[in-house]
Amino acid sequence: MCILPALRILPVLQRAFSRELPVGMYPSVVTGPFGWMAAIISLMIMIRLLVSWIFAIHYAVLDRKTFAGALRASTSLVNGNRKKVLLSMLAFWTPSLLLMIGNSFVFRITRDVVIRSSYDPTSMNILKLSIFASAETMTTTAVSIGISIFYSILTTRLFFALKEGEVLDSQTLLRKDAVADRPVVIRRPWLLPLLIILVIQGVFFGYLGRFLVVSEIELPLVTAHRGSSFKAPENSLSAVRIAIEDGADIIEIDVQMTRDGVLVLNHDRSLSKVASVGERVHTLTYADIAEFDIGSRFSNEFAGERVPTLAEVIQYMTGIPPSVKLNIELKDYGYSPEISRATIELVKEMGFESRVVITSTSIERLTTVRELAPEIPIGLVVGYLTSLVWSVDVDFYSVSTTILNDRFIQRARSMGRDVHVWTVNNTEAMSRYSSMGVASIITDRPDVLSKLLLRQAEMSIFQLRVLSILMT
């Protein structure tokens, strides 16, 4: 288990020193029988290992065995008692999971009711929301800690029972000890009320400034990541078409240049993920790429789908309302320095300047775009923070969810720059980022985000701010 992460270096080295890349699994809800079979087998292996090694920590801590010795001893103890261990774990984790799901569900429903009933920032609403936020945090934490404690007790009792050859069922393992039946005497009964008062006071004043909103919050635009890539092959004309039907305001696509200078849509260096072709895009001609089927791996419904050119996408979008724009991300991976100039020339030739924004992780590519077409908005794709981020002349940032926070947004705004966030597919995260005031949310599910924003459009500024705080 310790050496498995190190094996990840092998495909990385293969990508670095070989043009032939391993075929990747296409991320789709329709993975086919092989994908489901692989997932089931992997899950079964994981469960078996977890059951076999369930007492490894006990042997390592209590019997001071080595790492390998603890694994072997745990496996030996479980052998012959596997059914008993499995039933005990099932008896514990089934109600535990139901408890966690129920806790999350109750607070999700309650949160919506509380927010809907608190339209204005009155003192009573702020106090009510503060107490709710504190209660949710403390209850969820208490449930998690409680489950961990009971799991430790269960596994430890099971460990000693199996070592001593006792016959115990799950009810016996969870039964309270005799000492636990002794009455608990609270010698300082004033501590509990004082603690409650301090918690309410601290929570109220802690949230007071955060709940009060003086500035207006605008709902973000919907950016379809590589088109509607949950419903159609990414970076395909079908994905672009469905994204528009799903209510996207911006279609984000990845553009690369072929060996003969044609701009085509594809995200990775190669076409291995979408078409099982290991060759890199910049080494192929457009005639080569035009032969590949990028739809069959996603679903039989899209069999025969081809890699579109940027010109084809722009031509298609000229027939739809001009309110829908195109986010062209330059993804040449350093192999096509002329991609910026070629993209600008094509956009201007087709008269599409007013409907595009151009993004890239490459400062050099964006600088070239700025020089050639200062009227076209450009955005830096930010996956990690460096001092260079703030020194680049851009109009907005396209930021990963892993690093985006309120401080980043505030600094960007102070420089007159918008913030787009990627890639957000969870509805709770969508609500949180929309309430934080980002200009656009980039998602694989534009239909879900569009419906959520329609509901949020009915909320007050105070409610949007509350939603952001409660879901942080």
Side-chain angles (χ1 to χ4, degrees), residues 125-152:
N125 283 339
I126 293 174
L127 177 60
K128 176 175 61 177
L129 293 164
S130 301
I131 295 175
F132 172 80
S134 179
E136 180 178 13
T137 301
M138 290 189 292
T139 303
T140 303
T141 303
V143 169
S144 302
I145 294 175
I147 289 175
S148 300
I149 292 173
F150 279 109
Y151 178 73
S152 300

Side-chain angles (χ1 to χ4, degrees), residues 382-385 390 397-412 418-424 429 432-434 436-441 472:
V382 183
Y384 57 93
L385 286 177
W390 307 110
Y397 296 106
S398 183
V399 189
S400 168
T401 57
T402 57
I403 62 173
L404 183 62
N405 53 33
D406 283 318
R407 184 175 299 176
F408 187 102
I409 295 175
Q410 291 170 4
R411 183 166 183 180
D418 288 329
V419 174
H420 301 194
V421 58
W422 52 270
T423 304
V424 185
R432 181 169 66 252
Y433 288 117
S434 67
M436 288 171 65
V438 297
S440 176
I441 295 178
T472 300

Side-chain angles (χ1 to χ4, degrees), residues 48-117:
R48 182 175 179 83
L49 290 176
L50 288 173
V51 171
S52 297
W53 295 343
I54 191 172
F55 303 119
I57 294 179
H58 295 81
Y59 275 112
V61 175
L62 300 177
D63 291 359
R64 298 186 178 182
K65 290 186 178 293
T66 62
F67 178 79
L71 295 180
R72 287 195 298 268
S74 177
T75 303
S76 177
L77 182 62
V78 171
N79 286 342
N81 297 289
R82 195 173 301 276
K83 182 178 180 181
K84 184 184 299 183
V85 174
L86 280 172
L87 290 176
S88 298
M89 293 300 100
L90 186 63
F92 174 82
W93 280 113
T94 299
S96 297
L97 290 175
L98 291 175
L99 177 61
M100 289 188 288
I101 294 172
N103 177 75
S104 176
F105 180 77
V106 168
F107 275 110
R108 180 178 298 183
I109 299 299
T110 308
R111 182 193 304 131
D112 186 65
V113 173
V114 170
I115 292 174
R116 294 289 179 178
S117 64

Side-chain angles (χ1 to χ4, degrees), residues 137-278:
T137 301
M138 290 189 292
T139 303
T140 303
T141 303
V143 169
S144 302
I145 294 175
I147 289 175
S148 300
I149 292 173
F150 279 109
Y151 178 73
S152 300
I153 294 173
L154 172 65
T155 54
T156 303
R157 289 183 174 180
L158 186 59
F159 170 71
F160 284 110
L162 294 179
K163 282 189 68 175
E164 297 169 4
E166 296 180 16
V167 180
L168 297 176
D169 56 21
S170 58
Q171 292 183 348
T172 306
L173 290 169
L174 293 173
R175 188 179 59 200
K176 293 187 295 183
D177 291 328
V179 69
D181 295 330
R182 296 178 182 176
V184 178
V185 179
I186 301 178
R187 300 186 183 279
R188 294 181 178 84
W190 50 269
L191 280 178
L192 184 59
L194 177 62
L195 180 62
I196 293 174
I197 293 173
L198 290 176
V199 167
I200 293 177
Q201 180 182 359
V203 170
F204 176 71
F205 287 106
Y207 280 94
L208 180 62
R210 298 174 64 192
F211 280 136
L212 290 176
V213 180
V214 295
S215 60
E216 190 162 338
I217 298 176
E218 294 185 5
L219 293 179
L221 298 175
V222 178
T223 298
H225 186 233
R226 308 176 196 174
S228 190
S229 52
F230 258 37
K231 295 183 177 180
E234 64 179 42
N235 282 311
S236 66
L237 278 175
S238 293
V240 172
R241 173 180 54 80
I242 295 175
I244 295 169
E245 296 173 356
D246 286 341
D249 303 296
I250 304 172
I251 313 295
E252 187 268 349
I253 57 174
D254 303 292
V255 172
Q256 298 186 47
M257 181 177 282
T258 64
R259 192 176 69 196
D260 51 347
V262 179
L263 297 170
V264 297
L265 274 59
N266 190 60
H267 178 271
D268 296 351
R269 287 177 172 85
S270 74
L271 294 158
S272 61
K273 183 170 72 172
V274 296
S276 304
V277 177

